[in-house]
Amino acid sequence: MTRDEATALLNCSLAELAVKLATTTSAIAQWDENNIPALREYQIRDLAEGKTPIGLQKRKQNVNQTTKQTNI
């Protein structure tokens, strides 16, 4: 899958894709334009199907736990 195919599949920009994958646009810019990392492709396909991709759910929980700890 290419970066363009990924953004077309999710109907989003690279910046929006970065948010959906809990990463940065800088990280996505480093991907091979014509062949994105396999794990990211699986995550993008899961997002397109309305599923929570493996790996992203755990990151969101960690962010929430960190936020709770700093607000104490």
Side-chain angles (χ1 to χ4, degrees):
M1 175 182 290
T2 67
R3 286 189 305 198
D4 288 342
E5 289 171 339
T7 55
L9 184 62
L10 295 177
N11 192 28
C12 65
S13 67
L14 285 179
E16 292 167 329
L17 179 62
V19 170
K20 291 174 187 273
L21 295 176
T23 191
T24 63
T25 53
S26 175
I28 291 176
Q30 293 177 33
W31 295 352
D32 181 341
E33 196 173 307
N34 297 311
N35 190 21
I36 68 173
L39 173 62
R40 292 305 192 175
E41 181 175 346
Y42 293 126
Q43 291 175 327
I44 290 164
R45 292 188 188 281
D46 281 349
L47 286 170
E49 294 175 7
K51 300 177 186 175
T52 301
I54 294 173
L56 293 184
Q57 185 177 30
K58 187 174 182 180
R59 285 185 182 174
K60 288 181 182 177
Q61 290 172 349
N62 289 343
V63 169
N64 290 338
Q65 289 172 356
T66 303
T67 303
K68 288 178 185 176
Q69 290 174 356
T70 58
N71 289 334
I72 295 176

